[in-house]
Amino acid sequence: MEGAPGFRPLYRQVYDHLVKQIASGAWKPSEALPSEQALAAKLGVSQGTVRKALDAMAGENIIERRQGKGTYVAEYNEERALFRFFRMARPGGERALPECGQEDVDLRKANREEADKLGLDRGTSVYEIRRTRLIDGKRAIYEHIVVPAARFPRLKEKAPLPNALYTIYQSPYGVNIVQTEEELRADLARKEDNARLGIPIGSPILHIERVAREIEGTPVEFRITRCDTTHLVYAVTIR
């Protein structure tokens, strides 16, 4: 593996190679990677180059380093997935952990917006997930989620789905979510918000659109979240 003018830095080439290996299933979630020394020998690069590539992967939560044990493919359990990807909190920043409420899963064809967001042809089969999430036993969040049916075959048969969907994406489907892009805006509650959350039509509501990407950058989920912000805020810590 050699660098050349105009190519990506050598450590990024190692990064790309290892990411593709994980994406292909060469190493499963929670499985240990070979040692830095073994990877360096196999790829024909220095151990320092491998370490730099692994550091970049750890920074993106693709892998995790365990002190004294080695390097492992990151695995999402429910707590970890919620901690990383669920941003709603009580005023003051106290975490608000959601519970599952009403859920509907249907197979249908993607509309234009969904196809554009997911990089699909219009009319491609997708699963649509509509679910209500509870905070302190009260309806507070309504989610409309669309995923490609080809990546998640027979998803409807697995309902009820877990609270943290990214756990089922990873196992059994082998889809590791490592990046999300979100857009937020203030909106007014509509008829469906009233039906799902019980808030008056025209009340303030937070609208969040998210595209979630797997390891190689492919979009695999388009999610619209509608939040009753009467007792919740969107909280992000920036370091």
Side-chain angles (χ1 to χ4, degrees):
M1 186 172 291
E2 298 179 357
F7 282 19
R8 288 159 68 82
L10 188 54
Y11 87 92
R12 291 302 300 187
Q13 295 181 49
V14 173
Y15 169 100
D16 291 343
H17 174 79
L18 296 177
V19 162
K20 287 179 180 178
Q21 290 291 100
I22 293 173
S24 71
W27 299 301
K28 306 294 184 184
S30 79
E31 184 175 344
L33 272 64
S35 68
E36 291 179 1
Q37 184 176 8
L39 287 171
K42 181 177 181 179
L43 299 175
V45 299
S46 71
Q47 192 170 333
T49 297
V50 169
R51 183 177 300 118
K52 192 171 182 180
L54 293 176
D55 286 344
M57 293 170 68
E60 296 179 15
N61 295 290
I62 298 171
I63 59 171
E64 57 183 22
R65 296 183 181 277
R66 300 178 187 174
Q67 188 68 33
K69 295 184 178 180
T71 302
Y72 294 76
V73 178
E75 180 178 28
Y76 289 128
N77 56 33
E78 183 167 304
E79 181 178 1
R80 179 176 180 178
L82 289 174
F83 181 80
R84 184 176 177 203
F85 294 106
F86 187 76
R87 303 296 187 188
M88 302 309 296
R90 298 179 180 86
E94 180 188 358
R95 290 184 63 205
L97 296 180
E99 300 173 358
C100 294
Q102 180 183 349
E103 174 186 279
D104 302 298
V105 183
D106 293 296
L107 181 66
R108 62 168 175 78
K109 303 298 183 182
N111 61 33
R112 179 178 299 173
E113 180 185 28
E114 294 160 353
D116 288 346
K117 294 288 187 180
L118 294 172
L120 305 173
D121 293 329
R122 188 176 182 183
T124 299
S125 293
V126 295
Y127 279 108
E128 175 187 54
I129 305 164
R130 294 179 179 270
R131 64 179 187 169
T132 303
R133 305 182 86 181
L134 313 178
I135 301 292
D136 299 326
K138 298 179 180 179
R139 293 176 294 169
I141 299 167
Y142 169 51
E143 294 178 326
H144 174 226
I145 302 161
V146 176
V147 298
R151 297 303 305 274
F152 302 95
R154 305 173 73 175
L155 180 65
K156 185 172 182 177
E157 297 178 16
K158 301 188 181 300
L161 300 175
N163 190 11
L165 288 179
Y166 294 171
T167 59
I168 197 172
Y169 291 0
Q170 188 176 66
S171 179
Y173 293 110
V175 174
N176 298 293
I177 301 299
V178 299
Q179 177 183 333
T180 62
E181 300 148 10
E182 292 189 339
E183 295 181 359
L184 290 72
R185 70 170 185 264
D187 203 354
L188 298 177
R190 306 166 188 165
K191 184 176 180 180
E192 189 167 19
D193 301 314
N194 171 263
R196 294 279 183 166
L197 300 178
I199 60 177
I201 296 173
S203 299
I205 198 166
L206 179 63
H207 177 100
I208 306 170
E209 293 188 9
R210 171 190 291 181
V211 174
R213 299 179 184 274
E214 62 177 328
I215 287 178
E216 293 185 292
T218 305
V220 292
E221 179 198 76
F222 175 47
R223 179 184 304 218
I224 294 176
T225 302
R226 309 275 288 177
C227 302
D228 178 2
T229 56
T230 304
H231 303 293
L232 293 174
V233 297
Y234 185 93
V236 178
T237 300
I238 300 175
R239 293 186 174 88

